Amino acid sequence: MEIILQPIEKDIANDILNLLYDSLSTAFNNINVTIAPTLQVNIQNFMNRQRNQLKSPVLLHWILEKMKPTKEMKILVICDMDAYSGELNFVFGEAHLRGSIAAIYLARLKQEFYDLESNELVFYDRVTKEAIHELGHSFGLFHCNNKKCVMHFSNSLYDTDFKNKIFCKNCKKFL
Ligand SMILES: [Zn+2]
Ligand SMILES: [Zn+2]
């Protein structure tokens, strides 16, 4: 099994990629993590122009078709944009349950998005939690009722900031 970090579109800072490399290697022990070169995507094809947001499900489907991952691969797309899915006004990330494709969207994880002062540590923590959460879905985990568990559903950044970067005992057992 292998986790591939796949930055798309705008370059993602090496700090973020290295952070994810470390935190995912720890969260999913015994799984190799690799960082792929940035994939150039014609992002306009995936935009809802009225909303100025990415259509996450369409992007995930396109990546799946393009990269044709094997059953031994989990691809985590990292995109520095704002996205939505279905009825949800926005998503911090999305994954195919037990699938090969997941994504995280960085725009709304930044304090600056809400006109607050930028805070790198807060941002890094959120990125880590969202990445572990979405990959958790890839590995078949559902949402967890434990508000401290990384698999708890984040309806807001309050939820994200409240939860830990790790799986609770029950979720860990399932992995
Ligand atoms: Zn989720
Ligand atoms: Zn849990």
Side-chain angles (χ1 to χ4, degrees):
M1 189 60 80
E2 183 184 20
I3 293 171
I4 298 165
L5 302 178
Q6 180 59 73
I8 66 160
E9 177 64 5
K10 291 183 260 176
D11 278 333
I12 304 292
N14 279 330
D15 285 2
I16 297 287
L17 297 174
N18 292 331
L19 169 85
L20 288 175
Y21 177 88
D22 289 341
S23 49
L24 296 174
S25 301
T26 308
F28 301 92
N29 29 13
N30 301 324
I31 295 179
N32 274 329
V33 181
T34 46
I35 301 176
T38 302
L39 179 69
Q40 295 306 325
V41 172
N42 190 353
I43 212 76
Q44 289 310 323
N45 294 346
F46 305 98
M47 291 294 289
N48 178 323
R49 270 164 230 183
Q50 268 105 46
R51 298 170 64 137
N52 197 28
Q53 282 180 305
L54 269 179
K55 300 178 220 173
S56 176
V58 183
L59 177 68
L60 291 193
H61 183 75
W62 184 83
I63 300 266
L64 180 66
E65 293 291 303
K66 168 132 187 120
M67 298 189 68
K68 299 200 179 359
T70 67
K71 283 202 171 112
E72 297 302 306
M73 289 157 73
K74 303 288 183 198
I75 297 172
L76 180 71
V77 172
I78 305 152
C79 179
D80 192 4
M81 293 184 75
D82 184 22
Y84 74 103
S85 180
E87 302 287 294
L88 300 170
N89 289 333
F90 64 87
V91 287
F92 300 132
E94 184 169 22
H96 294 158
L97 189 70
R98 265 179 246 106
S100 303
I101 307 281
I104 54 169
Y105 302 102
L106 306 189
R108 283 182 194 256
L109 301 177
K110 296 176 188 171
Q111 293 289 73
E112 305 91 288
F113 188 89
Y114 311 92
D115 292 324
L116 297 169
E117 200 181 321
S118 126
N119 185 327
E120 212 167 55
L121 290 181
V122 167
F123 174 57
Y124 283 8
D125 263 6
R126 290 170 178 168
V127 172
T128 303
K129 290 171 189 178
E130 290 306 321
I132 295 173
H133 180 99
E134 296 308 336
L135 282 166
H137 286 315
S138 297
F139 286 102
L141 285 171
F142 292 96
H143 285 146
C144 179
N145 288 330
N146 183 340
K147 287 190 158 85
K148 279 289 177 190
C149 175
V150 75
M151 289 313 294
H152 192 71
F153 175 63
S154 289
N155 208 7
S156 69
L157 284 179
Y158 176 82
D159 299 322
T160 306
D161 291 340
F162 186 78
K163 67 189 180 185
N164 290 325
K165 279 179 261 189
I166 53 172
F167 298 107
C168 74
K169 265 192 214 146
N170 288 338
C171 289
K172 186 90 196 164
K173 234 187 294 169
F174 181 90
L175 271 178

